[in-house]
Amino acid sequence: FFSSRRRHTRSLCDWSSDVCSSDLAFSRREENQANAISTNFVCHTWLTDGKFVVCTDVGQILLFEPNGDFKNIQIFDPKKSSFQINSVLRFTIGQHESNQSGGKGPTQKSGFIVAGDSGQIRVFLKNEKNDTDVRMPYKRTESDDLIMVSDNDTKSGIEADVMYRKITNMALSPREDVLIFSTDTNQIIKVQINLERPSEVDKFDYLVSSFHSKSILGLDVCIKKQMIATCANDRTIRFWSYKSDGYEK
């Protein structure tokens, strides 16, 4: 879907069908700077202004023009260290209210969320003052990152599934106030979130219930109590109600 620019193209890697490698162009002037950029791309998303961001395995966030040109713009916060990014998601604050009212509605803010290891979530907002600094089109929210913190030595199930796991995928509710994400242990977790101040809300919970993190090895049914028992390779036994379609703690 991009126009061909093969004679000006410097291929970084073997891209999927979503973004063709022959369309990611680097100018000769920036070629030496581009050599420091990792070519192990892990995720990407389109932004509301037509541009798109690509995240690398070392936490770099690269901003590309709509036509695929890369102008050596990396999005980061100099006060915060980067972290392994596994998932990225764009958002528009106020879009739901605008759709409900049928008009412009309140001032909309756009940006994107990145998430990775240890349940760390970082939010970037579009810099409305980027006319004075074109190298900083997006900035991290003034609030701190969304990270689960526990004072207890013994971690509960939800704490272990967030603090010691990788976030692999994310989705936002239509009102942009609930973030749902999956982990590398097959858990689906929700958290109330304020996208402008993400660190102020940090109540994590399972979307439905906790699931086995590894393959199920055995299963049995109790007819009288309408329950199913499962045991898995994660060394847990769980009881499920097929009457209420839920996990019995």
Side-chain angles (χ1 to χ4, degrees), residues 88-151:
V88 58
L89 175 71
R90 74 173 182 184
F91 64 83
T92 302
I93 302 175
Q95 185 176 20
H96 176 77
E97 288 77 3
S98 178
N99 293 338
Q100 290 290 97
S101 62
K104 180 66 177 178
T107 302
Q108 296 184 1
K109 297 182 179 180
S110 62
F112 60 93
I113 309 168
V114 293
D117 294 356
S118 303
Q120 187 167 0
I121 298 171
R122 183 170 293 176
V123 180
F124 289 89
L125 286 171
K126 187 173 178 60
N127 190 356
E128 301 299 336
K129 300 179 180 179
N130 63 346
D131 291 339
T132 59
D133 189 359
V134 296
R135 311 299 297 180
M136 295 291 290
Y138 288 85
K139 62 179 180 179
R140 188 181 66 87
T141 56
E142 296 180 359
S143 175
D144 208 350
D145 297 343
L146 176 56
I147 305 175
M148 174 178 277
V149 178
S150 176
D151 297 329

Side-chain angles (χ1 to χ4, degrees), residues 58-228:
V58 293
Q60 296 168 326
I61 305 174
L62 315 178
L63 181 66
F64 285 85
E65 296 296 314
N67 63 356
D69 285 344
F70 178 67
K71 296 185 177 180
N72 203 41
I73 296 179
Q74 296 189 42
I75 301 172
F76 63 95
D77 186 339
K79 299 180 181 179
K80 291 286 185 178
S81 59
S82 59
F83 59 90
Q84 170 69 53
I85 298 173
N86 302 315
S87 181
V88 58
L89 175 71
R90 74 173 182 184
F91 64 83
T92 302
I93 302 175
Q95 185 176 20
H96 176 77
E97 288 77 3
S98 178
N99 293 338
Q100 290 290 97
S101 62
K104 180 66 177 178
T107 302
Q108 296 184 1
K109 297 182 179 180
S110 62
F112 60 93
I113 309 168
V114 293
D117 294 356
S118 303
Q120 187 167 0
I121 298 171
R122 183 170 293 176
V123 180
F124 289 89
L125 286 171
K126 187 173 178 60
N127 190 356
E128 301 299 336
K129 300 179 180 179
N130 63 346
D131 291 339
T132 59
D133 189 359
V134 296
R135 311 299 297 180
M136 295 291 290
Y138 288 85
K139 62 179 180 179
R140 188 181 66 87
T141 56
E142 296 180 359
S143 175
D144 208 350
D145 297 343
L146 176 56
I147 305 175
M148 174 178 277
V149 178
S150 176
D151 297 329
N152 301 322
D153 294 333
T154 303
K155 301 296 186 294
S156 65
I158 185 68
E159 291 174 340
D161 282 331
V162 175
M163 297 176 66
Y164 302 127
R165 300 302 178 186
K166 297 180 180 179
I167 296 176
T168 55
N169 290 284
M170 296 183 291
L172 269 174
S173 66
R175 294 183 179 274
E176 304 102 22
D177 59 352
V178 178
L179 180 68
I180 299 174
F181 61 87
S182 60
T183 70
D184 60 342
T185 54
N186 306 319
Q187 305 300 322
I188 304 176
I189 298 171
K190 64 180 179 178
V191 56
Q192 298 283 336
I193 188 171
N194 183 331
L195 291 173
E196 296 185 82
R197 296 180 295 276
S199 65
E200 294 183 5
V201 183
D202 59 355
K203 181 176 175 53
F204 293 81
D205 198 3
Y206 295 108
L207 181 62
V208 179
S209 64
S210 61
F211 302 109
H212 286 296
S213 61
K214 295 185 178 179
S215 57
I216 296 175
L217 303 177
L219 179 149
D220 202 355
V221 177
C222 178
I223 299 177
K224 292 184 178 180
K225 292 189 176 182
Q226 297 180 323
M227 296 179 66
I228 298 174

